[in-house]
Amino acid sequence: MHRKQYLGPNAEVEEALARVCTGPHQTRPLGAKADDPIKPSAILEIILRSVKGELPEDQAVSEAQMGAFFAGMTIRKGFPKKTQWSEAEIAAFDKYRPDLERLMPPEIRFIMQPEVGHTDTNPSEHIVVKALEKILRGGHLSYDETREMGKAILNEDMSGALKGAALIGQRMNLENYDEVRGYLDATFGPEGVRDVFVESLTHFGQPFDGATRYFRPTLFIAAVRAALDEPSVLHGVDEMPPKSGITEERILHVLGARTDLSLDEAARLIEDPAVGFAYVSQREYAPGAYDVRELRVHIKKRPPWAATEKAQQLFNASGANYMVIGYYHPGYETPLLQLIWERGFQAGLVVKGEEGTSHYALRLGNPSTEERQAINYSQGFRRIGGRREDFSLDIDPSEFGFNYKKNPRIETISPEAFASAGREALSGQKGQIYDRLVLNTAMTDYLLGLCSDPHEAIERTKEAIDSGRALTHLKKYIAKSNL
């Protein structure tokens, strides 16, 4: 059972974090309007009461919440005028400053006033404090500094306040490319990548927090691709707060497959032509990252590695390597593709899909413009003769015979419902789930350059399902994962 590491979180402070711990153009100052429901003085009173031990444990303000809140306030001093401190925030801090300086622990006083410095208590804390001296002033870290800080945060021997401050601070400063690389490799570095002896391998990177609105087809797409001799690897977690949606791991658990495979066990399943794909839990390849899931709840905003963890490479094929990543927030697609390119992949694809996944909706809606990326917007590259050839386009399902007036949703959102719907589609049952598997498998393989014609890709995908081969690969995976 997961051990709770922090008190709280406090709901009112969570709401404050959602407003003040965002970027330089999205932050909403507290108390900027007279009718603002969140008063900065009330938030400081709650924090002080919590420090005094006057709140019940389930209503307490955690160390991580305090670190994130005060880091956000400190960094906002350098924001544009519109997102800097409101008059109400200035007045509240002036009023409570004596109590804050008297009652707050040393690390919080440092976060509020980085110029006073902080005496660290262990090597991991030293790394994070040195990084915070830059972050709290709006600065950026090098690749090495980011990677070392990320590793230190994954070490429990440190104040939650410092962890929360560092992660929120990096997000508010809008992490640069070196920082994106650093976070990726802090979780699982290139030195840990295993070789697998297959002609090609595609990594699928989906949001770890799961689905709460639309069917999650990745697992079943992997089974279809295995039937097409295109091996895949999936990775993720059982459940990730705060969204805690349906993940591949939860679906696999319902289907009866093992979800604690080691990298070596997963490699054998990928190499097995009767199986051809595998799922690896973050618990197995990066247990430190998995153990700090609770921190995500307390800092309210997604930590920087919520974007980079989708680009994790676990294996290296003896032939060609491919990667497919889903995203929601514009701006991450460019560094994610650059990461894929620099690691030598044959092709990379990032998709603004449903719920931040790489999954195509069955209806395009309004197409993309220079100002707006639509759902189904796809960008990628292919490595041809050592050169990078980039592409970008919307995928319109109607061009391929999928004519839906609305993008359909599955009636029940549960691992059991997803498992049942996926198996039925692989059994040849026609409908929106079947269509999702066909569209997503075919378009992915077409854009990666694995099939030269999209219509041909659709026909071969349908044949892989209708023949029963895809379902057989799923059944083999379930059986052999348990051996």
Side-chain angles (χ1 to χ4, degrees):
M1 184 177 292
H2 177 64
R3 179 174 62 84
K4 187 174 173 63
Q5 299 179 43
Y6 306 108
L7 300 177
N10 180 274
E12 288 84 359
V13 175
E14 271 195 304
E15 289 300 313
L17 288 172
R19 292 184 54 156
V20 304
C21 290
T22 56
H25 305 293
Q26 294 80 31
T27 288
R28 294 171 292 159
L30 304 179
K33 298 179 181 179
D35 60 350
D36 194 330
I38 305 178
K39 308 294 185 186
S41 57
I43 297 300
L44 293 180
E45 286 176 6
I46 291 170
I47 291 173
L48 288 167
R49 287 186 63 202
S50 184
V51 172
K52 294 174 186 176
E54 295 176 358
L55 297 180
E57 285 193 1
D58 62 342
Q59 298 176 26
V61 184
S62 69
E63 291 180 350
Q65 281 189 299
M66 285 190 278
F69 176 76
F70 288 112
M73 296 301 295
T74 298
I75 290 169
R76 283 180 52 215
K77 293 176 182 178
F79 272 14
K81 185 175 181 180
K82 186 178 179 180
T83 51
Q84 283 183 11
W85 288 25
S86 67
E87 292 184 5
E89 288 171 325
I90 294 170
F93 271 81
D94 285 344
K95 177 181 177 181
Y96 290 102
R97 193 170 307 280
D99 287 339
L100 292 171
E101 293 178 351
R102 179 171 58 89
L103 295 173
M104 287 295 167
E107 60 268 26
I108 296 295
R109 294 199 298 271
F110 161 66
I111 293 167
M112 289 192 292
Q113 295 179 289
E115 63 273 10
V116 304
H118 179 65
T119 302
D120 49 78
T121 60
N122 58 61
S124 293
E125 192 170 291
H126 175 77
I127 292 170
V128 176
V129 168
K130 295 301 288 184
L132 275 168
E133 289 175 352
K134 291 185 177 181
I135 293 169
L136 293 171
R137 292 178 172 88
H140 289 280
L141 306 178
S142 68
Y143 164 80
D144 290 333
E145 288 172 326
T146 307
R147 188 175 183 184
E148 287 304 307
M149 187 188 77
K151 287 182 177 179
I153 288 173
L154 301 183
N155 182 335
E156 289 189 12
D157 189 20
M158 187 191 313
S159 159
L162 294 175
K163 292 182 180 182
L167 295 176
I168 280 295
Q170 285 265 268
R171 287 303 301 269
M172 292 181 70
N173 291 337
L174 306 178
E175 60 268 35
N176 62 24
Y177 183 64
D178 281 341
E179 290 165 335
V180 169
R181 289 175 53 233
Y183 274 108
L184 175 65
D185 293 346
T187 301
F188 184 87
E191 66 279 0
V193 174
R194 302 284 207 283
D195 289 331
V196 289
F197 297 97
V198 290
E199 290 187 8
S200 74
L201 179 65
T202 303
H203 280 72
F204 282 89
Q206 309 294 7
F208 280 21
D209 56 4
T212 58
R213 292 184 294 159
Y214 294 100
F215 177 71
R216 184 101 160 185
T218 323
L219 169 63
F220 305 100
I221 290 170
V224 178
R225 297 184 81 250
L228 294 167
D229 296 321
E230 299 292 353
S232 308
V233 60
L234 321 178
H235 55 98
V237 296
D238 50 351
E239 187 175 313
M240 181 65 73
K243 187 176 176 182
S244 297
I246 311 304
T247 62
E248 285 74 31
E249 186 164 330
R250 295 176 68 185
I251 300 170
L252 280 167
H253 179 73
V254 168
L255 290 170
R258 267 183 63 201
T259 57
D260 61 348
L261 299 177
S262 68
L263 288 172
D264 288 339
E265 289 173 316
R268 287 194 289 273
L269 291 174
I270 293 168
E271 293 170 342
D272 185 341
V275 179
F277 70 97
Y279 168 85
V280 189
S281 174
Q282 191 186 58
R283 286 192 314 277
E284 305 305 318
Y285 70 82
Y290 181 80
D291 286 343
V292 297
R293 290 179 304 154
E294 188 185 350
L295 184 62
R296 298 189 184 211
V297 176
H298 289 253
I299 65 175
K300 188 64 177 178
K301 299 293 182 177
R302 301 180 315 140
W305 63 67
T308 60
E309 64 198 359
K310 295 181 289 187
Q312 204 76 66
Q313 181 182 6
L314 303 177
F315 299 101
N316 182 57
S318 52
N321 290 283
Y322 305 89
M323 185 171 284
V324 180
I325 300 175
Y327 74 97
Y328 180 78
H329 296 285
Y332 282 102
E333 64 276 18
T334 299
L336 288 174
L337 283 172
Q338 187 63 23
L339 284 169
I340 301 170
W341 169 260
E342 289 185 355
R343 280 160 170 73
F345 281 71
Q346 183 66 29
L349 174 65
V350 294
V351 180
K352 185 177 171 63
E354 295 173 325
E355 296 190 72
T357 66
S358 67
H359 305 142
Y360 294 111
L362 288 170
R363 185 175 184 275
L364 174 60
N366 293 325
S368 298
T369 65
E370 290 186 4
E371 295 77 29
R372 172 188 171 275
Q373 295 176 354
I375 298 298
N376 288 11
Y377 181 68
S378 309
Q379 290 177 265
F381 71 82
R382 297 173 188 168
R383 190 183 300 267
I384 300 176
R387 294 181 297 104
R388 174 171 168 170
E389 294 193 3
D390 292 280
F391 61 84
S392 62
L393 74 165
D394 285 335
I395 293 297
D396 185 351
S398 66
E399 293 181 7
F400 307 102
F402 302 97
N403 297 300
Y404 285 81
K405 292 182 178 180
K406 296 175 103 177
N407 186 34
R409 299 190 186 189
I410 189 169
E411 185 174 337
T412 303
I413 305 296
S414 72
E416 293 78 12
F418 283 22
S420 176
R423 282 190 66 123
E424 288 172 357
L426 290 187
S427 299
Q429 181 172 313
K430 304 302 189 287
Q432 62 118 333
I433 304 301
Y434 178 94
D435 288 348
R436 286 182 186 281
L437 298 187
V438 172
L439 176 67
N440 279 278
T441 303
M443 292 303 102
T444 297
D445 286 356
Y446 165 64
L447 292 177
L448 290 175
L450 297 168
C451 191
S452 60
D453 180 83
H455 298 280
E456 178 187 335
I458 286 173
E459 292 308 312
R460 73 172 195 159
T461 300
K462 287 180 178 179
E463 192 278 331
I465 297 175
D466 295 343
S467 66
R469 298 201 319 275
L471 181 60
T472 298
H473 277 267
L474 179 64
K475 290 178 177 179
K476 289 288 187 181
Y477 180 84
I478 295 168
K480 292 196 174 188
S481 71
N482 284 294
L483 294 180

